[in-house]
Amino acid sequence: MKPAMPALLSPIVAGCWRLDQWGWTPQERLRWIEQCVELGVTSFDHADIYGGYTVEALFGEALALAPQLRNRLQLVSKCGIQLVSPQRPQHRVKAYDSSRAHIVASVEHSLKTLRTDHLDLLLLHRPDPLLDADEVAEAFEHLRAAGKVKRFGVSNYSPEQFELLASRTSLVTNQVECSLLHLVPLHDGSFDQMQRLRLSPMIWSPLAGGRIFSGNGETEQRVRSALEAVAREHGCSAATVAHAWLLRLPCRPHPIVGSRRIEAMREAVAALSLRLDAPTWHALWSASTGHPVP
Amino acid sequence: MKPAMPALLSPIVAGCWRLDQWGWTPQERLRWIEQCVELGVTSFDHADIYGGYTVEALFGEALALAPQLRNRLQLVSKCGIQLVSPQRPQHRVKAYDSSRAHIVASVEHSLKTLRTDHLDLLLLHRPDPLLDADEVAEAFEHLRAAGKVKRFGVSNYSPEQFELLASRTSLVTNQVECSLLHLVPLHDGSFDQMQRLRLSPMIWSPLAGGRIFSGNGETEQRVRSALEAVAREHGCSAATVAHAWLLRLPCRPHPIVGSRRIEAMREAVAALSLRLDAPTWHALWSASTGHPVP
Amino acid sequence: MKPAMPALLSPIVAGCWRLDQWGWTPQERLRWIEQCVELGVTSFDHADIYGGYTVEALFGEALALAPQLRNRLQLVSKCGIQLVSPQRPQHRVKAYDSSRAHIVASVEHSLKTLRTDHLDLLLLHRPDPLLDADEVAEAFEHLRAAGKVKRFGVSNYSPEQFELLASRTSLVTNQVECSLLHLVPLHDGSFDQMQRLRLSPMIWSPLAGGRIFSGNGETEQRVRSALEAVAREHGCSAATVAHAWLLRLPCRPHPIVGSRRIEAMREAVAALSLRLDAPTWHALWSASTGHPVP
């Protein structure tokens, strides 16, 4: 096996999506960041719009309490969506904006609120039919040259959409939804493309937003039961098995874990030491689809 | 932004699909052509089969009244479909023919009936499972070398179908259906591919064959109402807004307007001066899909 | 038309899928092989799992009666699926295995049971989400260097899956299902990709597992009736027409005929001399879809 590209992100990424809902003081937020780092979870996933444009500032406020921590972190943010929000009264409708002006302005705002001088990775949040790939490439080049963003990627892109933008600028990842309850990127070419290009996707909702453990549908129950059986065998939690199932993929995905509970982080990190064998992996796939592999 | 390829077609293209249904004298047809040209609509979209194999002759008859006009026009035609028609009693079934013999014979017939010595652009009308890409490339090369066709393209092709033929011969466009009531090429990779290759698609049925204004379904009513609101704001017609919505796409599409009414042409041309902002564009997209952008 | 790659397989391939169900002695099996060869059907399609891991041995037993025949045959086998089977009591669940160890071990077993020192072609049986393309490429290179497998391919792959593995190792075919009752690869990019790469697909179930002749659904009846009309016109069997319909495709597919009846082989071979014209081909397509071509 040829060497993968030098790791940009920690194997497990901490998701800050819901950071505004945890009701924490800056000190509590800092403690969470530090505990993540102690577990080896050094990459933090943001977006300009998380928490209705409030999460980056909450994170930055915590980071300001321990500025020396910044060099041990990788900060990921996104732009390109314009929410209707009290924070942005000028927005009349949820829309995308892929213009150079918006990308640069959004990054400047992220840097300011995160209280950092650079992002390690910037993603375009959603595919935008109005995206002009040359204009985006120019915006990225400008941000790279200014030292404000180190690497670039996209999120929720189809293979053709990725191919378009990658034809104009260097992309390092596509952040997509995947879990035992959402198998789409295994079959729509997304992960085939990532592996072909020797890139690693980032994975959002690796536990289907908790539905793997709380859902009452037939599929959820089948998957849960199968996960629990494997977990018993290995003496670990079902969540660890669910993460191990993703980590077994040859495109080497980085699951994003967005939980206030450090135990949830620990369960994800434990998956890095659990290599599922192929029959177990396919049995879990079959629990999800409801039939054996073809 | 890098320069686009030199424009082959006028930004708005006149569609001749229904020319046989307008009940016009050759002089009236000539007047329509001249009025289009006065508006800057200098490209005319034909196909061998339009009007049951009659439209090209009707156009050629008008052109013969003012032969000096030819140099100011770009004539586009298509081939590859064989209709069951009184004009072709030997056809037993609607079928495709992508053979070199048929392509060359169809072009010869188009040149004769259009009364011109060359086509500016020839398109294969539909993807044909029997298409032999090498044979088509040979036919195109023969026609190009003979000066009978300047450029080549396809119509209604998927990205993989386009990629096949483009691997053997140079293609400049894919003519596809798109409108606020038909969003498919925005999401199936077609427009991503065009932009990646720096090509411009041609658009048929940009107003969904009039359904945008006459349709009574929920979607049609939502779209119409949204178009009218934007039109009021800009002091233009709803049709102008519908065309401006297409012209905003970064693949720089050429809408084909197939109307006997010069006013309809004028409304399309007016769209060239109306640049919709991104929120307006996405609001119209949302009116079509019935939900905000994801 | 440029020359195709030198033929690796006979135009019609004999399928051994059901060889274990024919209740034959080794001598009868040898006679079947010899009769196929006399018809020019010199390629035989196997898989490790056919007959619940028994078919290769039945074939090898027959071949051992006339070892000099080997040089006139092309032997194709597959690996990558692990069946739950009395022959493999260690398998708990139907799963895929694309590891180097499994590929090499499976080939060694195929060589031993087929009683040959090499396979002419090895296919990965199904797309496997766990496939590591670099590891597979290494396994293939090892088998090629050892003289154990001459060429490599895949089966049931999507275009993106094919593109991934083809980016690491040389593939010569994709074996897919296609028939007048299964048109998928004509429209999903599979055959476009094969033609673009100047490769020939292999076709499984070219008569839809017999359903073309035994099925009672509307589609089956329409297709059968259309095939019979063409057959009467050409003085051949409907099966010959069904094969001729496939052989007309420009990607030059190799249908696999898996029948104990030599007459079935003869009907397929007869299709090599029957070139359907385009209208007839599209009429048969229309009989399958229930509507004229678009």
Side-chain angles (χ1 to χ4, degrees):
Chain A
M1 211 178 310
K2 311 234 177 77
M5 62 166 196
L8 172 69
L9 304 174
S10 55
I12 303 294
V13 172
C16 300
W17 186 26
R18 298 203 191 92
L19 185 61
D20 63 311
Q21 299 170 25
W22 301 343
W24 280 348
T25 64
Q27 287 72 16
E28 287 169 320
R29 280 175 240 141
L30 177 62
R31 182 72 194 115
W32 178 78
I33 296 169
E34 288 171 339
Q35 287 180 306
C36 287
V37 170
E38 285 160 20
L39 289 170
V41 178
T42 57
S43 302
F44 291 80
D45 184 68
H46 285 272
D48 56 345
I49 60 170
Y50 285 169
Y53 298 96
T54 66
V55 161
E56 289 180 324
L58 294 172
F59 190 95
E61 191 183 15
L63 195 54
L65 300 177
Q68 78 296 346
L69 203 53
R70 173 62 184 95
N71 291 334
R72 301 175 59 194
L73 310 184
Q74 300 82 45
L75 298 184
V76 182
S77 195
K78 312 188 190 76
C79 66
I81 300 180
Q82 297 205 324
L83 287 188
V84 177
S85 157
Q87 304 289 326
R88 296 288 186 280
Q90 72 275 31
H91 295 172
R92 298 168 293 122
V93 62
K94 187 175 178 190
Y96 301 144
D97 190 341
S98 308
S99 67
R100 174 177 167 152
H102 175 69
I103 292 170
V104 171
S106 183
V107 167
E108 304 280 10
H109 188 265
S110 291
L111 295 180
K112 187 173 145 202
T113 48
L114 285 167
R115 308 203 197 179
T116 182
D117 63 349
H118 72 281
L119 296 176
D120 295 277
L121 178 60
L122 175 73
L123 310 182
L124 295 187
H125 208 149
R126 288 271 174 191
D128 174 6
L130 295 188
L131 175 139
D132 181 308
D134 289 315
E135 184 174 347
V136 169
E138 278 190 15
F140 285 3
E141 192 41 50
H142 168 81
L143 291 165
R144 189 189 334 254
K148 294 180 178 171
V149 181
K150 302 295 184 197
R151 311 290 280 270
F152 299 88
V154 294
S155 187
N156 304 302
Y157 267 43
S158 73
E160 270 282 2
Q161 291 161 343
F162 192 95
E163 198 182 354
L164 162 57
L165 191 54
S167 76
R168 305 294 205 271
T169 190
S170 176
L171 302 175
V172 300
T173 194
N174 186 10
Q175 181 179 122
V176 297
E177 180 179 8
C178 187
S179 73
L180 270 162
L181 296 179
H182 187 86
L183 306 176
V184 174
L186 279 74
H187 302 297
D188 74 352
S190 293
F191 285 170
D192 299 309
Q193 180 184 50
M194 287 292 103
Q195 188 183 166
R196 177 165 56 83
L197 300 175
R198 301 190 187 285
L199 300 177
S200 291
M202 300 173 76
I203 304 289
W204 59 270
S205 282
L207 305 179
R211 208 159 38 88
I212 277 189
F213 300 114
S214 62
N216 289 316
E218 264 185 52
T219 303
E220 285 97 332
Q221 293 188 35
R222 257 195 334 258
V223 166
R224 190 154 61 235
S225 163
L227 285 170
E228 285 165 357
V230 178
R232 277 192 299 275
E233 190 184 334
H234 290 278
C236 65
S237 76
T240 295
V241 178
H243 285 296
W245 187 85
L246 288 170
L247 290 166
R248 185 64 168 76
L249 288 166
C251 56
R252 309 176 185 207
H254 294 256
I256 301 168
V257 182
S259 175
R260 57 181 296 168
R261 295 187 309 110
I262 285 298
E263 184 54 26
M265 292 291 165
R266 214 183 307 273
E267 290 175 321
V269 169
L272 296 168
S273 316
L274 175 60
R275 184 177 166 86
L276 299 179
D277 62 20
T280 301
W281 193 93
H282 286 98
L284 289 166
W285 184 94
S286 297
S288 173
T289 62
H291 57 75
V293 298
Chain B
M1 209 178 312
K2 309 232 179 77
M5 63 167 196
L8 173 68
L9 303 174
S10 55
I12 303 294
V13 172
C16 301
W17 186 27
R18 299 203 189 92
L19 185 60
D20 63 310
Q21 298 170 26
W22 301 342
W24 280 348
T25 64
Q27 286 73 16
E28 288 169 320
R29 280 174 240 141
L30 177 61
R31 182 71 196 117
W32 179 78
I33 297 169
E34 287 170 340
Q35 287 181 306
C36 287
V37 171
E38 284 160 21
L39 289 169
V41 178
T42 56
S43 302
F44 292 81
D45 184 67
H46 285 273
D48 57 344
I49 60 169
Y50 285 170
Y53 297 98
T54 67
V55 160
E56 289 179 324
L58 294 173
F59 190 95
E61 193 183 13
L63 196 54
L65 299 177
Q68 78 297 348
L69 203 53
R70 174 63 185 92
N71 291 336
R72 302 175 59 194
L73 311 184
Q74 300 81 44
L75 298 184
V76 182
S77 195
K78 312 187 191 76
C79 67
I81 300 180
Q82 297 206 325
L83 287 189
V84 177
S85 157
Q87 304 290 325
R88 297 289 187 279
Q90 72 277 28
H91 295 171
R92 296 168 294 122
V93 61
K94 188 175 179 189
Y96 300 145
D97 190 340
S98 308
S99 67
R100 173 176 168 153
H102 175 70
I103 292 170
V104 171
S106 183
V107 167
E108 304 279 12
H109 188 265
S110 291
L111 295 180
K112 189 173 144 202
T113 48
L114 284 167
R115 306 205 197 178
T116 182
D117 63 348
H118 73 280
L119 296 175
D120 294 277
L121 178 59
L122 174 73
L123 310 181
L124 295 187
H125 209 148
R126 289 271 174 191
D128 174 7
L130 295 187
L131 175 139
D132 181 307
D134 289 315
E135 184 175 345
V136 168
E138 277 190 15
F140 285 2
E141 193 39 53
H142 168 81
L143 291 165
R144 189 187 335 253
K148 292 178 180 172
V149 181
K150 301 295 184 198
R151 311 290 279 271
F152 299 88
V154 294
S155 187
N156 304 302
Y157 268 42
S158 73
E160 270 281 1
Q161 290 161 343
F162 192 95
E163 199 182 353
L164 162 57
L165 191 54
S167 76
R168 306 294 206 271
T169 190
S170 176
L171 302 176
V172 300
T173 194
N174 186 10
Q175 181 179 120
V176 297
E177 182 180 5
C178 187
S179 72
L180 270 164
L181 296 180
H182 188 87
L183 306 175
V184 174
L186 278 74
H187 303 296
D188 75 351
S190 293
F191 285 171
D192 299 310
Q193 180 185 50
M194 288 292 102
Q195 188 183 166
R196 177 166 55 81
L197 300 175
R198 301 191 188 283
L199 299 177
S200 291
M202 300 173 76
I203 304 289
W204 60 269
S205 282
L207 305 179
R211 208 159 38 87
I212 278 189
F213 300 114
S214 61
N216 289 316
E218 264 185 53
T219 303
E220 285 97 333
Q221 294 188 34
R222 256 195 335 258
V223 165
R224 191 155 59 234
S225 162
L227 285 170
E228 285 165 357
V230 178
R232 275 192 300 275
E233 189 184 335
H234 290 279
C236 64
S237 76
T240 295
V241 179
H243 285 296
W245 187 85
L246 288 169
L247 290 166
R248 185 64 167 76
L249 289 165
C251 56
R252 309 177 185 205
H254 294 257
I256 300 168
V257 182
S259 175
R260 57 181 296 168
R261 295 187 309 112
I262 284 298
E263 184 54 26
M265 291 291 163
R266 215 181 307 273
E267 290 175 320
V269 169
L272 296 168
S273 316
L274 175 60
R275 185 177 165 86
L276 300 179
D277 62 20
T280 302
W281 193 93
H282 286 98
L284 289 167
W285 184 93
S286 296
S288 173
T289 62
H291 57 76
V293 299
Chain C
M1 211 177 311
K2 310 232 178 76
M5 65 167 194
L8 173 69
L9 304 174
S10 54
I12 303 295
V13 172
C16 301
W17 186 26
R18 298 203 190 92
L19 185 62
D20 63 311
Q21 299 171 25
W22 300 344
W24 280 349
T25 64
Q27 286 72 16
E28 288 169 318
R29 280 174 241 141
L30 176 60
R31 183 72 196 117
W32 178 77
I33 297 169
E34 289 170 339
Q35 287 181 305
C36 287
V37 171
E38 284 159 21
L39 288 170
V41 178
T42 57
S43 301
F44 292 81
D45 184 68
H46 286 271
D48 56 343
I49 60 170
Y50 285 169
Y53 298 97
T54 67
V55 160
E56 289 180 325
L58 294 172
F59 190 95
E61 192 183 14
L63 195 55
L65 299 175
Q68 78 296 346
L69 203 53
R70 174 62 185 93
N71 291 335
R72 301 175 59 194
L73 310 184
Q74 300 82 45
L75 298 184
V76 182
S77 195
K78 313 187 190 75
C79 67
I81 301 179
Q82 297 205 325
L83 287 188
V84 177
S85 157
Q87 304 290 326
R88 296 289 186 281
Q90 73 275 29
H91 295 172
R92 298 168 293 123
V93 61
K94 187 174 178 190
Y96 301 144
D97 190 341
S98 308
S99 67
R100 174 178 168 151
H102 175 70
I103 291 170
V104 171
S106 183
V107 166
E108 304 279 11
H109 188 265
S110 291
L111 296 179
K112 189 174 144 201
T113 49
L114 284 167
R115 307 205 196 178
T116 183
D117 63 349
H118 72 281
L119 297 176
D120 295 277
L121 178 59
L122 175 73
L123 310 181
L124 296 187
H125 209 149
R126 289 271 175 192
D128 174 7
L130 295 187
L131 176 139
D132 181 308
D134 289 316
E135 183 174 346
V136 169
E138 278 190 15
F140 285 3
E141 193 40 53
H142 169 81
L143 290 166
R144 191 190 332 255
K148 292 178 179 172
V149 181
K150 302 296 184 196
R151 310 291 279 272
F152 299 88
V154 295
S155 187
N156 305 303
Y157 268 43
S158 73
E160 270 282 2
Q161 291 162 342
F162 192 94
E163 198 181 354
L164 162 57
L165 191 54
S167 76
R168 305 295 205 271
T169 189
S170 176
L171 302 176
V172 299
T173 194
N174 186 10
Q175 182 180 120
V176 296
E177 182 180 6
C178 186
S179 72
L180 270 163
L181 297 179
H182 188 86
L183 306 176
V184 174
L186 278 73
H187 303 295
D188 74 351
S190 294
F191 285 170
D192 299 309
Q193 180 184 51
M194 287 291 104
Q195 187 183 167
R196 177 166 55 83
L197 300 174
R198 301 192 187 283
L199 299 178
S200 291
M202 300 173 76
I203 304 290
W204 60 271
S205 283
L207 306 179
R211 208 159 38 87
I212 278 190
F213 300 114
S214 61
N216 289 317
E218 264 184 53
T219 303
E220 285 97 333
Q221 293 189 35
R222 255 194 338 255
V223 165
R224 191 155 59 235
S225 163
L227 286 170
E228 285 165 357
V230 178
R232 276 193 300 275
E233 189 185 334
H234 289 279
C236 67
S237 75
T240 295
V241 179
H243 285 296
W245 187 85
L246 289 169
L247 290 166
R248 185 64 167 75
L249 289 165
C251 56
R252 308 177 186 206
H254 294 257
I256 301 168
V257 182
S259 175
R260 55 180 298 168
R261 296 186 310 111
I262 284 298
E263 184 53 27
M265 291 292 164
R266 213 182 307 273
E267 290 176 320
V269 169
L272 298 169
S273 317
L274 175 61
R275 185 176 165 86
L276 299 179
D277 60 22
T280 301
W281 193 93
H282 287 99
L284 289 166
W285 184 93
S286 297
S288 173
T289 62
H291 57 75
V293 297

